[in-house]
Amino acid sequence: VQLQAYGGGLVHARGSLRLSCAASGSILRINDMNWYRQAPGKQREWVASISSGGSTNYADSVKGRFTISRDNAKNTVTMQMNSLKPEDTAVYYCNSKVQARGSIWPGDYWGQGTHVTVSS
């Protein structure tokens, strides 16, 4: 099982970006899909989550600006980021607990990270 994140880049403040993450491999079930971020010199922090049923949760810092969604048929999660601020600059990681075929328990998987830079 692998998670591949893409869609980062450089954007001006108040601009928008869309991040996507695709899970691939021999997948039986994907539980919550999450986005985390790590800004330079800071610890990794949780940003948003979406359950397999579509329930969403957001960190207070992004609520109202970011929207997470998923396509269960394609095993993808997307995060639309609007009204970006310089403090949103970070490496963004997708994360999910994925049960691979033949496994009893789900494993915790991380994407490789995609850079988002917001200039003021």
Side-chain angles (χ1 to χ4, degrees):
V1 175
Q2 289 186 325
L3 298 184
Q4 178 75 37
Y6 50 95
L10 172 64
V11 64
H12 291 298
R14 297 180 297 280
S16 298
L17 279 176
R18 177 175 293 190
L19 304 183
S20 295
C21 178
S24 62
S26 184
I27 296 170
L28 179 63
R29 185 179 297 109
I30 300 177
N31 297 332
D32 287 4
M33 302 187 83
N34 314 296
W35 287 98
Y36 287 76
R37 67 186 181 187
Q38 186 166 17
K42 295 188 177 181
Q43 291 191 333
R44 190 173 298 188
E45 64 174 358
W46 167 77
V47 176
S49 294
I50 185 167
S51 71
S52 56
S55 297
T56 59
N57 283 289
Y58 299 92
D60 287 343
S61 58
V62 307
K63 202 171 292 183
R65 300 188 297 122
F66 291 9
T67 302
I68 189 171
S69 59
R70 66 189 283 171
D71 184 331
N72 290 331
K74 296 181 179 179
N75 292 334
T76 58
V77 59
T78 297
M79 186 162 69
Q80 177 68 40
M81 305 186 297
N82 298 328
S83 302
L84 283 161
K85 304 175 181 179
E87 50 264 43
D88 294 318
T89 294
V91 179
Y92 284 72
Y93 299 89
C94 58
N95 161 259
S96 184
K97 284 188 168 49
V98 181
Q99 185 174 1
R101 294 185 185 279
S103 296
I104 297 175
W105 305 109
D108 194 31
Y109 294 91
W110 291 85
Q112 83 286 9
T114 184
H115 289 258
V116 172
T117 302
V118 184
S119 63
S120 57

